[in-house]
Amino acid sequence: MEGMVMRPLRGGALLRRNFLTCLSSWKAPPRIPRSSQSEALLNIANNGLPYAPLQTFTEEEMMLKRTVERFAQEQIAPLVLTMDENSKVEKSVIQGLFQHGLMGIEIDTIYGGTGASFFSSVLAIEELAKVDASVALFCDLQNTLINTLIMKHGTEEQKATYLTKLATEEIGSFCLSEAGAGSDSFSLKTRADKKGDYFVINGSKMWISHAEYAGLFLVMANVDPTRGYKGITCFLVDRGTEGLHIGKPENKLGLRASCTCPLTFDNVKVPEANVLGQIGHGYKYAIGMLNKGRVGIAAQMLGLAQGCFDYTIPYIKERVQFGTRLFDFQGLQHQVAHVATQLEAARLLTYNAARLAEAGRPFIKEASMAKYYASEIAGRTTSKCIDWMGGAGYVKAYPVEKYFRDAKIGTIYEGTSNIQLNTIAKHIDAEY
Amino acid sequence: MAELRALVAVKRVIDFAVKIRVKPDRTGVVTDGVKHSMNPFCEIAVEEAVRLKEKKLVKEIIAVSCGPAQCQETIRTALAMGADRGIHVEVPAAEADRLGPLQVARVLAKLAEKEKVDLVLLGKQAIDDDCNQTGQMTAGFLDWPQGTFASQVTLEGDKVKVEREIDGGLETLRLKLPAVVTADLRLNEPRYATLPNIMGAGPKASASGNGSADVAPMEAGCRRLGQGQPCEPWPPVCRKPRRRRLR
């Protein structure tokens, strides 16, 4: 905790500068009082009304949220600064994620997973993102992309081989994008030629998250380019497979602890048994699973924005300029209220999309809306938080600038904002 | 090994990270809609009980909490950490304010006798009232030996060796079971309830009982006289604006 600092001024006058108690260096994060609201439990009685507000959780979801919150605050928060500076995630954090069952939230207990609901994943991702968006990404990609794909489309044998490992010790990596195929992912050029009872994959991938730590790669390759995207197939490739080269991690603006690498496939032999689902159906699986992935990213951006906001408000309540607390200036209050309203709207969009997905109802439009909105307001919220923090928001000694940098990717990955808007418009077109 | 049974008392308190606000009528602090959680010292007590169970020295852990319906949350957390059974002594919300160490100690003493436990574990004090009395009073009612402020607990056959943190340093006691032990900060580092345990805590048995049936805890309830203002944080943050002379 910083104490009082005396600084001599020109002419010998002493200037006392009060260091605010809440602005201690975040190497040892202070116990900043968060919002004191407790979320009400899902209560069937609920004052006689059968319709609970969106922010009602079951007991398990509530306990899960609390546990992840504590875990993030106590085990991850002290390491965030070093992980960002070194662009490397600490092993203890990954182990902690696995130990607490956070990497296999929806996996069935028979495979060693937690057997919880999709909404639980969303809550876990949100709580992790409040502390570090990179760590939240590990949890998000594993749960919403990798695990979902294998659970939905894997054979019993594939599930038995991979799900337990994914729940307990192995990170999975999803390989779709290429240098020439980003938003236009179906124009991917990686080929998988059938040779007897195995496939030979040739090509390269780019922007692959967690490739440096992953033990399993889900590779989308085209078995028959003449069929266009209808040849795209999903292959399960283990890390040690000969011909699979993992490139140097990118030096990124944000999410630095989550490594992003290019991959090269040089005659990588994959047995036929490692085809996930049906040949030529990969594009369907990719689209289907990216829908849930969107809700996961929305949760990550939401948590990021909320974490940044939670850090900033105590500051502006304490800092005094012109004899008044910053928070007492009406201009600032209006900005804060504006941002808080947007956060709440993003939260409701995300929770609703998650509940719709759980209920098995159509949720693609809502998921796109949630991802688009959450990522956009995350950028705005973090930018505003830097404004409110002033100079303190601009320096690396305080976490706000990291939230700002991390938020930028939200509008880009797992479907850029423009793509989301296209999707929403397409659905609206179909409705009218 | 030993067929010991442990009773762990857990209290639902306002979360330590929450900013406390005094009610406008000065009769107490605002508790409605405020985040609550298990008292940190109670967590340490539960963790110790679970560790003893993992060492196979304790057979069954019963978590008990006295208070309004929301205490079930706290019991469920204890179950998720590794307790086997939960008992909720229901006290109506209106009377929960007057629930103090004396009443809780009576309840715990009765329960300890009813459940025939060998070890009663509690946190040394609650972070909302800092009373530091419940464990001691429980031992008094039961006429059992007590080891308070424990920083190390070792079960040795029919005795429990308790290393206590006292003003002068450390004191080691050997208590004959059954005994009451209250946990201090350095006893252990409580585990997080892992997600699979949280999912499994639901089906675990949790009995609810009305405390006044066999115990009359409210008879000696005290009336709170008033609530003072919390101290202002240091350093003082407001400065009077300078007066400008108008010309």
Side-chain angles (χ1 to χ4, degrees):
Chain A
M1 288 281 202
E2 319 276 351
M4 298 281 235
V5 168
M6 312 277 220
R7 211 172 94 209
L9 199 60
R10 261 180 301 171
L14 278 174
L15 222 180
R16 254 166 159 234
R17 198 154 56 144
N18 284 345
F19 266 70
L20 302 177
T21 50
C22 72
L23 250 201
S24 55
S25 167
W26 61 308
K27 289 184 180 96
R31 298 282 187 204
I32 298 172
R34 311 247 159 228
S35 163
S36 55
Q37 288 298 97
S38 86
E39 294 86 351
L41 292 179
L42 179 63
N43 182 1
I44 309 295
N46 206 22
N47 305 327
L49 296 166
Y51 310 111
L54 274 172
Q55 283 128 325
T56 1
F57 316 122
T58 63
E59 288 224 25
E60 283 112 1
E61 286 165 355
M62 193 65 204
M63 285 179 71
L64 190 147
K65 186 176 153 80
R66 292 275 183 92
T67 309
V68 178
E69 186 183 3
R70 267 186 72 183
F71 167 67
Q73 279 296 327
E74 292 172 14
Q75 304 282 333
I76 302 180
L79 301 169
V80 172
L81 178 56
T82 38
M83 291 200 292
D84 187 59
E85 274 176 4
N86 301 334
S87 291
K88 221 177 139 110
V89 74
E90 292 279 337
K91 273 214 180 79
S92 61
V93 168
I94 301 294
Q95 279 170 359
L97 285 178
F98 278 114
Q99 271 166 16
H100 288 83
L102 289 170
M103 296 295 247
I105 296 180
E106 285 181 85
I107 294 182
D108 211 312
T109 42
I110 54 174
Y111 299 110
T114 310
S117 59
F118 175 58
F119 195 79
S120 310
S121 303
V122 166
L123 287 177
I125 296 165
E126 186 190 341
E127 287 302 327
L128 288 171
K130 283 183 189 172
V131 172
D132 191 353
S134 315
V135 178
L137 190 69
F138 277 97
C139 183
D140 170 54
L141 291 184
Q142 186 93 342
N143 282 295
T144 60
L145 297 194
I146 314 290
N147 294 349
T148 313
L149 266 178
I150 297 186
M151 280 196 296
K152 256 185 113 170
H153 304 292
T155 62
E156 279 312 315
E157 209 186 300
Q158 286 166 340
K159 283 191 209 174
T161 316
Y162 292 112
L163 281 184
T164 314
K165 275 199 281 184
L166 288 170
T168 51
E169 56 180 14
E170 196 166 71
I171 295 181
S173 198
F174 183 65
C175 312
L176 175 63
S177 296
E178 293 178 7
S183 291
D184 188 10
S185 44
F186 292 163
S187 69
L188 57 89
K189 296 272 180 300
T190 306
R191 290 188 57 139
D193 300 305
K194 196 157 200 293
K195 301 235 161 80
D197 59 351
Y198 52 85
F199 287 85
V200 175
I201 302 180
N202 272 295
S204 61
K205 295 285 183 188
M206 210 155 161
W207 315 123
I208 306 304
S209 296
H210 311 149
E212 211 176 305
Y213 311 114
L216 173 68
F217 295 86
L218 269 69
V219 182
M220 302 298 233
N222 203 325
V223 295
D224 189 0
T226 58
R227 291 207 317 230
Y229 63 85
K230 295 215 176 124
I232 297 178
T233 311
C234 185
F235 295 93
L236 298 164
V237 181
D238 292 306
R239 189 189 183 86
T241 315
E242 200 185 316
L244 171 62
H245 300 291
I246 301 164
K248 217 175 65 134
E250 305 278 353
N251 190 4
K252 303 196 296 284
L253 169 72
L255 289 194
R256 291 174 66 82
S258 153
C259 69
T260 309
C261 310
L263 297 183
T264 326
F265 297 88
D266 193 5
N267 289 325
V268 176
K269 275 205 239 169
V270 177
E272 211 173 340
N274 275 28
V275 170
L276 188 68
Q278 293 181 327
I279 296 181
H281 282 226
Y283 73 97
K284 264 195 248 168
Y285 304 156
I287 298 181
M289 156 233 61
L290 279 168
N291 291 327
K292 270 198 174 172
R294 270 172 213 165
V295 184
I297 297 298
Q300 183 201 26
M301 287 295 124
L302 176 65
L304 186 158
Q306 188 67 53
C308 190
F309 189 77
D310 284 345
Y311 188 89
T312 312
I313 299 300
Y315 176 93
I316 56 180
K317 283 182 74 166
E318 235 190 280
R319 180 157 176 88
V320 174
Q321 290 287 271
F322 305 108
T324 327
R325 293 187 318 169
L326 288 193
F327 197 86
D328 291 330
F329 288 105
Q330 197 179 50
L332 202 93
Q333 284 180 349
H334 286 183
Q335 292 178 37
V336 168
H338 190 61
V339 164
T341 311
Q342 289 176 325
L343 268 181
E344 180 76 1
R347 171 161 291 116
L348 296 177
L349 275 172
T350 312
Y351 286 5
N352 194 42
R355 291 290 191 202
L356 282 172
E358 265 188 353
R361 284 160 60 174
F363 72 104
I364 302 176
K365 184 178 79 163
E366 286 79 7
S368 297
M369 287 175 162
K371 194 262 178 189
Y372 158 70
Y373 195 68
S375 52
E376 296 278 332
I377 64 113
R380 264 179 259 160
T381 305
T382 48
S383 178
K384 271 285 174 223
C385 285
I386 295 187
D387 287 339
W388 299 335
M389 295 269 292
Y394 203 65
V395 295
K396 282 198 188 269
Y398 304 103
V400 186
E401 60 83 35
K402 178 178 181 286
Y403 285 113
F404 176 72
R405 285 185 288 113
D406 286 345
K408 195 63 212 141
I409 191 67
T411 53
I412 300 171
Y413 69 178
E414 278 207 44
T416 63
S417 286
N418 289 335
I419 297 291
Q420 303 301 338
L421 291 172
N422 281 358
T423 312
I424 298 169
K426 212 165 61 177
H427 279 86
I428 295 174
D429 194 15
E431 283 171 23
Y432 285 82
Chain B
M1 278 194 81
E3 299 290 283
L4 296 177
R5 296 169 73 236
L7 183 78
V8 186
V10 294
K11 187 177 180 187
R12 177 178 179 262
V13 297
I14 296 179
D15 190 83
F16 73 90
V18 166
K19 184 167 176 183
I20 306 290
R21 281 177 223 277
V22 178
K23 277 197 234 174
D25 58 5
R26 305 286 202 100
T27 55
V29 296
V30 177
T31 51
D32 269 339
V34 170
K35 183 170 170 194
H36 284 69
S37 51
M38 193 192 290
N39 182 34
F41 295 108
C42 297
E43 278 178 4
I44 297 174
V46 173
E47 172 67 18
E48 193 59 26
V50 173
R51 286 192 190 184
L52 289 173
K53 186 170 150 203
E54 284 172 349
K55 289 188 210 153
K56 305 238 191 304
L57 297 166
V58 162
K59 187 179 74 169
E60 193 189 11
I61 305 172
I62 307 165
V64 63
S65 189
C66 302
Q70 296 97 317
C71 286
Q72 303 230 2
E73 246 179 81
T74 320
I75 298 177
R76 235 169 273 272
T77 312
L79 293 173
M81 283 173 75
D84 301 291
R85 268 201 303 137
I87 300 179
H88 172 215
V89 179
E90 182 129 20
V91 174
E95 291 177 44
D97 268 349
R98 298 187 307 156
L99 193 63
L102 188 63
Q103 294 77 29
V104 174
R106 281 221 183 92
V107 170
L108 291 180
K110 265 274 165 21
L111 274 175
E113 282 171 342
K114 205 167 107 170
E115 298 285 335
K116 297 195 193 28
V117 295
D118 308 285
L119 188 62
V120 176
L121 281 160
L122 307 94
K124 69 170 179 181
Q125 64 197 56
I127 60 171
D128 53 3
D129 54 19
D130 281 338
C131 278
N132 194 346
Q133 298 162 13
T134 313
Q136 291 87 331
M137 286 182 182
T138 312
F141 282 128
L142 289 165
D143 201 21
W144 286 4
Q146 54 176 276
T148 51
F149 309 106
S151 65
Q152 210 171 29
V153 172
T154 327
L155 282 177
E156 297 171 344
D158 68 336
K159 290 204 176 57
V160 55
K161 185 173 98 171
V162 176
E163 200 175 77
R164 315 173 56 217
E165 291 191 1
I166 58 171
D167 291 339
L170 292 172
E171 178 188 56
T172 312
L173 297 176
R174 258 190 194 81
L175 312 171
K176 200 145 177 270
L177 290 174
V180 173
V181 174
T182 69
D184 205 330
L185 188 65
R186 278 159 283 273
L187 180 57
N188 59 49
E189 176 121 9
R191 64 193 61 192
Y192 303 106
T194 62
L195 269 55
N197 283 351
I198 291 174
M199 304 302 294
K204 275 195 194 166
S206 180
S208 209
N210 190 344
S212 50
D214 50 355
V215 179
M218 289 306 135
E219 29 167 272
C222 319
R223 189 174 55 87
R224 195 184 274 121
L225 293 167
Q227 188 84 30
Q229 269 295 93
C231 309
E232 284 305 319
W234 182 90
V237 288
C238 282
R239 268 190 246 125
K240 277 206 185 117
R242 279 225 193 103
R243 285 232 187 103
R244 287 261 177 90
R245 232 174 244 170
L246 293 170
R247 293 224 170 140

